[in-house]
Amino acid sequence: MKRWLAFTIIPVFIVLGFVQEMVKVNVNYYLEQTSNVPGFYNGTYEQRKQWMEDHRIDAPFDYYYSHRPIDWLHHLSLGQLSKLKWGLAVVFIVVHFALNVLFLRMYFRASEEKQRKQAKRFLPMLYIVSFVLAGIFLVGGKLIGMDVPSYNISRKILGFMQSPMPAILLILLIPLAARFEEQRKVES
């Protein structure tokens, strides 16, 4: 298989990224705007929809404020929205992990079996380390009273996991590590 075929997966990453961003922005915006409004979640679908429309911020060049909320969000409770937010993060991480695996398999051809095996071993480790780091920042921040900064760091780490960056990082590091190993063997 030709190495360039791996890059045919990039459009899938891009489309998934747009869908992911649209859904996440909608859920986060909805939660931010409504979670502290007394009685909001006791209202009907129509009342919630009207409240959101009445409180829209006019910011035409800022997607976070200018988008129209996804209609079915008006049916969900605060708890359901919160679960949806974290559930979507898990789903998108799993889907991106699978895409990263596929990308690496296609990139490291059968003729590069050693590099393919390294990628197969290091990608899950990279995801586990990233997940643990995100958890440490999230929990640690809450424990020391720095919720917002630690959440933002955690979110960036989770964002890394929901992108093609893990595969790209390994594409750069695995051959580099192989060169260092060869050089070390020559010098020994």
Side-chain angles (χ1 to χ4, degrees):
M1 185 183 316
K2 303 282 187 213
R3 183 176 274 180
W4 63 268
L5 284 175
F7 293 95
T8 61
I9 296 172
I10 297 296
V12 176
F13 274 114
I14 292 169
V15 169
L16 182 61
F18 279 115
V19 169
Q20 171 183 325
E21 190 66 16
M22 181 199 62
V23 172
K24 284 182 173 181
V25 162
N26 268 273
V27 172
N28 284 333
Y29 178 77
Y30 205 93
L31 283 167
E32 178 186 302
Q33 296 299 309
T34 64
S35 60
N36 293 322
V37 176
F40 179 83
Y41 289 97
N42 297 329
T44 65
Y45 162 83
E46 287 299 328
Q47 290 170 328
R48 292 180 191 187
K49 186 175 181 176
Q50 188 59 49
W51 188 94
M52 288 298 288
E53 188 58 37
D54 292 346
H55 291 84
R56 269 178 41 120
I57 296 170
D58 186 26
F61 299 107
D62 187 342
Y63 180 73
Y64 188 73
Y65 294 107
S66 66
H67 72 278
R68 296 247 182 244
I70 296 173
D71 197 54
W72 51 266
L73 294 178
H74 302 301
H75 292 288
L76 303 177
S77 70
L78 180 60
Q80 290 170 324
L81 282 165
S82 186
K83 288 176 187 170
L84 176 65
K85 174 182 175 172
W86 292 105
L88 286 172
V90 170
V91 167
F92 284 124
I93 287 170
V94 168
V95 171
H96 276 92
F97 177 79
L99 285 172
N100 275 287
V101 166
L102 181 61
F103 185 84
L104 288 168
R105 280 187 184 161
M106 292 173 73
Y107 186 83
F108 292 118
R109 304 178 304 251
S111 61
E112 300 165 321
E113 190 60 32
K114 183 179 179 184
Q115 291 178 333
R116 182 185 266 191
K117 284 181 181 179
Q118 287 176 321
K120 189 176 178 181
R121 188 176 78 224
F122 288 130
L123 185 64
M125 287 177 17
L126 184 58
Y127 268 77
I128 290 168
V129 167
S130 297
F131 189 74
V132 168
L133 275 174
I136 288 170
F137 277 105
L138 190 62
V139 173
K142 284 189 182 284
L143 291 175
I144 64 171
M146 296 184 68
D147 294 14
V148 174
S150 63
Y151 172 77
N152 287 334
I153 293 169
S154 234
R155 204 174 79 203
K156 296 292 183 197
I157 295 169
L158 292 176
F160 166 76
M161 296 167 64
Q162 298 173 62
S163 75
M165 291 309 296
I168 292 169
L169 183 65
L170 291 177
I171 285 171
L172 296 172
L173 292 180
I174 289 172
L176 187 62
R179 283 192 207 129
F180 282 131
E181 187 178 317
E182 286 173 22
Q183 186 177 6
R184 196 185 74 209
K185 285 179 183 177
V186 169
E187 290 174 356
S188 298

